[in-house]
Amino acid sequence: MESISLNLVMLGPPGAGKGTQADRLAKAKGIPKVSTGDMLREAVKAETELGLRAKAIMESGQLVSDDVIIGVVRERLAKPDAQRGFILDGFPRTVAQAQALDTLMVGRPPLVVIDIAVPEDELVQRLTSRLVCEDCGTNAEGVPLSASLTTRCLKCGGRLKQRSDDNETVVLERLKVYRRDTQPLVDYYRSRPTFRTVNGAQAMERVFADLAEAVDSAASGGALGGVR
Ligand code: ADP
Ligand code: ZN
């Protein structure tokens, strides 16, 4: 099973837990997680040309232009470590990006697409109360904002902080952009036999179990047109 390549797209609103779950699944499957949000944040930190272009856009909750982000993803998926599969987190976010991704998949196994669904009031609560590691970007699960100075990242020991786009104003804008530009992707993908929905409003362990099961069923049965 693990030798068959898996080309996975994690869909879902900001705060659905895509990144956390994608990290874990990427390790289990031995394929890279490709997070456009992480790549952009690294570019901002390194002050590359891409980072300088993206910074203000990200801080206002808007999307980086399709051309730019499609170019970034095309280059990343062409690297050797992505030839055996990948988990995309945060891409595609528009129909134009999804169409571009389809053209990149010619000659590869079909995309498996998992939509992680979470009600909007819970998303606002999660995003405005979360801390992330300043160094590796990992979410600090279960650490309240008030403990930001007394707790360190479990993975790398880095300092914890609030992401600059996790304040309420920008969160509401990101959700608006999600509804307008990204939610239509559910309809774009829904009719494919490799599409599944997972309930993201459960404990992390349960979400992971449901996700793993959905991926396996979609990757085996789905690719053959199986029902489920
Ligand atoms: P979220 O928690 O909103 O899912 P991400 O870390 O995925 O956050 O992305 C943060 C920001 O990076 C987005 O609000 C957007 O400005 C930019 N970004 C990330 N991925 C894309 C993309 N595929 N297309 C355009 N902009 C993107
Ligand atoms: Zn860390």
Side-chain angles (χ1 to χ4, degrees), residues 74-210:
R74 181 187 295 119
E75 273 181 33
R76 180 65 189 85
L77 295 187
K79 295 210 167 137
D81 69 333
Q83 301 317 301
R84 282 191 45 250
F86 52 78
I87 302 181
L88 277 168
D89 160 28
F91 183 94
R93 253 180 163 88
T94 64
V95 170
Q97 292 177 19
Q99 288 167 338
L101 180 61
D102 279 336
T103 70
L104 295 178
M105 289 303 106
V106 173
R108 296 206 197 205
L111 289 173
V112 170
V113 181
I114 310 283
D115 184 41
I116 302 194
V118 175
E120 190 155 322
D121 50 348
E122 171 144 1
L123 296 171
V124 176
Q125 169 57 31
R126 285 185 187 183
L127 290 166
T128 56
S129 65
R130 79 175 171 184
L131 287 168
V132 301
C133 173
E134 198 171 75
D135 294 329
C136 75
T138 302
N139 286 349
E141 301 301 339
V143 181
L145 288 182
S146 59
S148 66
L149 297 176
T150 51
T151 315
R152 292 282 179 139
C153 172
L154 281 179
K155 199 159 145 189
C156 79
R159 271 203 286 266
L160 303 180
K161 55 154 205 204
Q162 234 188 331
R163 230 168 76 176
S164 58
D165 59 350
D166 277 349
N167 63 77
E168 183 155 358
T169 316
V170 179
V171 163
L172 293 176
E173 187 60 28
R174 282 157 63 201
L175 289 170
K176 196 166 108 193
V177 170
Y178 167 78
R179 279 195 300 272
R180 187 190 64 206
D181 295 336
T182 309
Q183 208 160 27
L185 290 183
V186 175
D187 287 325
Y188 181 85
Y189 287 122
R190 197 193 296 281
S191 63
R192 300 187 184 189
T194 51
F195 176 87
R196 298 286 187 281
T197 300
V198 164
N199 174 13
Q202 317 179 78
M204 274 197 342
E205 284 300 318
R206 274 249 47 103
V207 177
F208 185 73
D210 288 0

